[in-house]
Amino acid sequence: MNGEEKFRLGVLGSGKGSNFVAIADAIAAGEVRADVAVVLSDVESAGILEQARTRNLLAHFIAPGKFRTKLDEDAERAYVSALCEAKVDLIVLAGFMRVLKGDFLRAFEGRIVNIHPSLLPSFPGLEAWKQALDHGVKVTGCTVHFVDAGVDSGPIIGQQTVPVLDDDTSATLHGRIQQAEHELYPACVAALARREVSVQGRRVIWRNH
Ligand code: GRF
């Protein structure tokens, strides 16, 4: 990559795409030196595709295949080839509701990041804000991490805390966590695009932090 070329992002999401929008807005504001090369979704009607198309970005639905929680082999191949074709430097999971496996992980080793709505390693998995509420913690938050073969288990790049209030419902707490996500994710992607982030075992080190 020479000085002129921007860092290329491939964004994968299944939902409304508010984290994608936060990253796209940060790029437009000059806060993240990167381009969104392609947006892919396993849900044809996902808001994230609509958001991408509104911004004139390449956006594709790719059918996930026969499984409910992961991509089948054909789908995995189709995702990998779309991302390779778009020449992505980093894959940004933004609410992608399927666990990535084998060939996908091998194709992009160390180049896949995810955002999770809790302070990992607490509350991995689904509805982490509800898990936090049910557990009774006073502080929760969000985590950006590298993706490995486990569920929400890769090295942690960044975290932001969020208070849990006495009158919180699932919806109010999730909303507060999402606001934090929209600050944390662009900041982490910006640092990755500046190549300021390195991994030493489980520890992720930020240069100039
Ligand atoms: C976020 O809360 C994120 O933590 C989780 O999925 C949600 C995606 O939301 N992984 P959005 O589609 O970015 O609005």
Side-chain angles (χ1 to χ4, degrees):
M1 194 165 89
N2 66 38
E4 294 306 303
E5 278 174 20
K6 291 233 188 96
F7 195 71
R8 293 172 69 79
L9 308 178
V11 182
L12 269 59
S14 310
K16 65 183 192 291
S18 69
N19 279 284
F20 160 69
V21 168
I23 291 167
D25 287 352
I27 290 172
E31 292 157 16
V32 179
R33 201 182 141 67
D35 282 329
V36 176
V38 69
V39 175
L40 303 177
S41 182
D42 59 330
V43 176
E44 201 161 12
S45 60
I48 193 169
L49 291 176
E50 177 70 31
Q51 292 286 359
R53 290 179 185 133
T54 305
R55 289 167 171 75
N56 292 319
L57 296 169
L58 204 58
H60 301 304
F61 159 67
I62 302 182
K66 56 182 184 259
F67 301 119
R68 205 172 48 84
T69 57
K70 62 178 186 175
L71 302 172
D72 73 13
E73 264 182 42
D74 289 345
E76 195 170 75
R77 257 194 300 277
Y79 275 81
V80 170
S81 88
L83 292 162
C84 288
E85 211 168 289
K87 297 188 168 56
V88 302
D89 297 298
L90 183 74
I91 293 161
V92 176
L93 303 184
F96 191 64
M97 297 307 286
R98 285 169 194 273
V99 181
L100 298 173
K101 305 252 173 201
D103 285 347
F104 193 113
L105 295 181
R106 276 188 287 278
F108 302 107
E109 212 190 328
R111 295 193 291 142
I112 312 173
V113 296
N114 181 44
I115 187 149
H116 182 78
S118 75
L119 295 176
L120 290 170
S122 290
F123 314 128
L126 294 176
E127 297 194 324
W129 60 89
K130 188 168 179 303
Q131 294 184 52
L133 208 54
D134 290 347
H135 194 92
V137 294
K138 301 296 186 194
V139 176
T140 184
C142 50
T143 302
V144 173
H145 63 94
F146 284 106
V147 172
D148 65 9
V151 175
D152 303 321
S153 57
I156 290 170
I157 301 166
Q159 294 185 301
Q160 192 157 319
T161 57
V162 166
V164 181
L165 306 182
D166 289 345
D167 59 354
D168 262 335
T169 61
S170 269
T172 57
L173 182 57
H174 188 207
R176 196 174 309 114
I177 292 171
Q178 281 228 302
Q179 284 176 18
E181 290 182 344
H182 300 160
E183 294 171 14
L184 180 68
Y185 217 176
C188 290
V189 173
L192 287 157
R194 291 194 303 266
R195 313 263 182 196
E196 288 181 2
V197 171
S198 63
V199 186
Q200 296 173 14
R202 281 220 47 102
R203 298 184 68 188
V204 176
I205 311 297
W206 290 48
R207 200 159 37 85
N208 304 327
H209 198 42

